């Protein structure tokens, strides 16, 4: 097995970002192509375009991300989840990422402790740190320019993880048997001690040593008082500050609103509230401004006639 654990015939994905030097990326791709053999099953993807690359699930044996010399790639939760998706069951990911030694110094950089956790949360297993080293001056400058980090506690961590030997979302039927083993007579055997523990006989009720609690002793004077009917009445819609009646109104507000509504002249066209431009010639609301549907409008006696 060659460098990065790549073997002939494997499918490999190389993920790069804007910080990856072009020549170093080309050299890495050429090296991996030699390792996998003549078929050249090597795919090169930008970290920001990985989710749009439309790779099928379980496409690659190995994913190399951020391993281009000079690269300072960051791996978001979405990127890690996509890497886990395109890996074959049992496939391996090897990545490098700059981290900080203390939390709180940067909101954009993970700590060395949180990076393995991020891989685990993406669905990878057997996550382990392989190497930890200081950044080169060029790499540190790249982090400062891209992320605005000015601290001096940067480290470059190399870490790997594997996809479980099953596909995400797969299922398998469990063979469980809850049947009790039959006894000599063919019937399920019962533990006599357990049966006795959960059995209460008439003799037990007469046992002088058994203290039976009187349920009436659990009630005090306040529990025995008859409640005031007023305290059991549900508050009315008006008391609750509602202008509309509840669905199952019992306080009388629904009838009151219905009576007010029926006392108003009914519209023949249904457009009275829109204004004169929409009203019939015989509309009792002619000359009045538009109003909201259902709004109470008072009409003079000389205006009340059939619409």
């Amino acid at each position: 097995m060659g460098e990065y654990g790549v073997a002939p015939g494997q499918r490999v994905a190389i993920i790069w970002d804007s910080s990856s030097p072009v020549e170093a990326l080309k050299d890495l791709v050429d090296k991996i192509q030699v390792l996998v053999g003549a078929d050249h099953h090597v795919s090169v993807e930008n970290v920001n375009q990985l989710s749009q690359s439309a790779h099928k699930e379980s496409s690659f044996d190995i994913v190399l991300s951020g391993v281009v010399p000079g690269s300072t790639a960051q791996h978001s939760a979405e990127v890690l989840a996509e890497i886990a998706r395109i890996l074959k069951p049992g496939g391996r990911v090897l990545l490098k990422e700059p981290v900080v030694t203390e939390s709180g110094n940067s909101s954009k950089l993970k700590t060395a402790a949180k990076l393995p956790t991020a891989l685990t949360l993406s669905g990878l297993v057997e996550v382990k740190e392989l190497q930890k080293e200081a950044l080169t001056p060029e790499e540190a400058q790249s982090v400062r320019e891209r992320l605005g980090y000015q601290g001096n506690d940067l480290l470059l961590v190399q870490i790997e993880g594997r996809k479980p030997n099953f596909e995400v979302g797969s299922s398998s039927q469990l063979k469980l048997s809850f049947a009790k083993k039959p006894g000599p007579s063919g019937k399920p055997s019962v533990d006599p001690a357990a049966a006795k523990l959960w059995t209460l006989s008439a003799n037990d009720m007469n046992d002088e040593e058994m203290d039976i609690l009187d349920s009436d002793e659990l009630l005090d004077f306040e529990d025995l008082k008859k409640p005031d009917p007023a305290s059991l009445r549900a508050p009315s819609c008006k008391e609750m500050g509602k202008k509309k009646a509840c669905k199952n109104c019992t306080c009388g507000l629904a009838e009151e609103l219905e009576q007010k509504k029926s006392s108003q002249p009914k519209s023949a066209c249904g457009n009275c509230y829109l204004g004169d431009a929409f009203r019939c010639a015989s509309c009792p609301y002619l000359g009045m401004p538009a109003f909201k549907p259902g709004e109470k409008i008072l009409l003079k006696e000389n205006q009340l006639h059939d619409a």
Side-chain angles (χ1 to χ4, degrees), residues 241-298:
K242 293 184 178 180
K243 295 183 179 180
K244 294 184 179 180
C246 301
K247 183 178 180 181
N248 298 317
C249 179
T250 58
C251 68
L253 181 60
E255 290 80 0
E256 181 181 344
L257 295 177
E258 182 65 26
Q259 184 178 4
K260 290 182 179 179
K261 184 177 179 181
S262 60
S263 64
Q264 294 294 309
K266 296 183 179 180
S267 170
C269 60
N271 297 328
C272 299
Y273 70 93
L274 296 175
D276 284 350
F278 300 89
R279 292 168 179 162
C280 306
S282 59
C283 182
Y285 296 100
L286 281 175
M288 299 184 67
F291 54 87
K292 296 180 180 180
E295 183 179 357
K296 183 178 180 181
I297 305 297
L298 297 179

Side-chain angles (χ1 to χ4, degrees), residues 94-278:
L94 178 68
L95 63 82
K96 284 186 177 182
E97 181 172 327
V99 298
V100 293
T101 57
E102 297 181 8
S103 60
N105 290 347
S106 174
S107 59
K108 297 181 180 180
L109 290 166
K110 303 181 186 70
T111 63
K114 289 184 178 181
L115 182 57
T117 303
L119 269 70
T120 302
L121 292 176
S122 69
L124 300 174
V125 297
E126 299 180 25
V127 177
K128 57 183 178 180
E129 183 181 300
L130 300 179
Q131 188 177 356
K132 187 184 295 182
E133 59 187 7
L135 277 71
T136 65
E138 293 78 11
E139 292 169 342
Q141 183 63 26
S142 174
V143 173
R144 294 188 180 98
E145 291 177 354
R146 292 190 304 112
L147 304 178
Y149 183 70
Q150 302 301 324
N152 297 318
D153 58 342
L154 289 170
L155 291 173
L156 189 63
V157 173
Q158 180 173 320
I159 194 170
E160 75 169 358
R162 292 184 181 274
K163 186 172 181 176
N165 291 321
F166 53 84
E167 191 52 77
V168 175
S170 60
S171 61
S172 178
Q173 185 176 1
L174 298 177
K175 296 181 180 180
L176 300 176
S177 176
F178 296 99
K180 296 181 179 179
K181 296 181 179 181
S185 61
K187 297 182 178 180
S189 59
V190 179
D191 185 2
K196 183 178 180 181
L197 180 64
W198 294 102
T199 301
L200 187 64
S201 67
N203 294 330
D204 294 326
M205 299 299 294
N206 295 327
D207 192 343
E208 296 180 355
E209 297 181 358
M210 177 172 289
D211 186 13
I212 299 177
L213 184 65
D214 185 359
S215 59
D216 292 337
E217 295 180 0
L218 300 176
L219 302 176
D220 56 21
F221 178 74
E222 293 295 329
D223 296 324
L224 299 175
K225 289 177 61 178
K226 185 178 180 179
D228 183 5
S231 65
L232 303 178
R233 183 181 62 85
S236 65
C237 302
K238 291 183 178 180
E239 291 174 343
M240 297 178 65
K242 293 184 178 180
K243 295 183 179 180
K244 294 184 179 180
C246 301
K247 183 178 180 181
N248 298 317
C249 179
T250 58
C251 68
L253 181 60
E255 290 80 0
E256 181 181 344
L257 295 177
E258 182 65 26
Q259 184 178 4
K260 290 182 179 179
K261 184 177 179 181
S262 60
S263 64
Q264 294 294 309
K266 296 183 179 180
S267 170
C269 60
N271 297 328
C272 299
Y273 70 93
L274 296 175
D276 284 350
F278 300 89

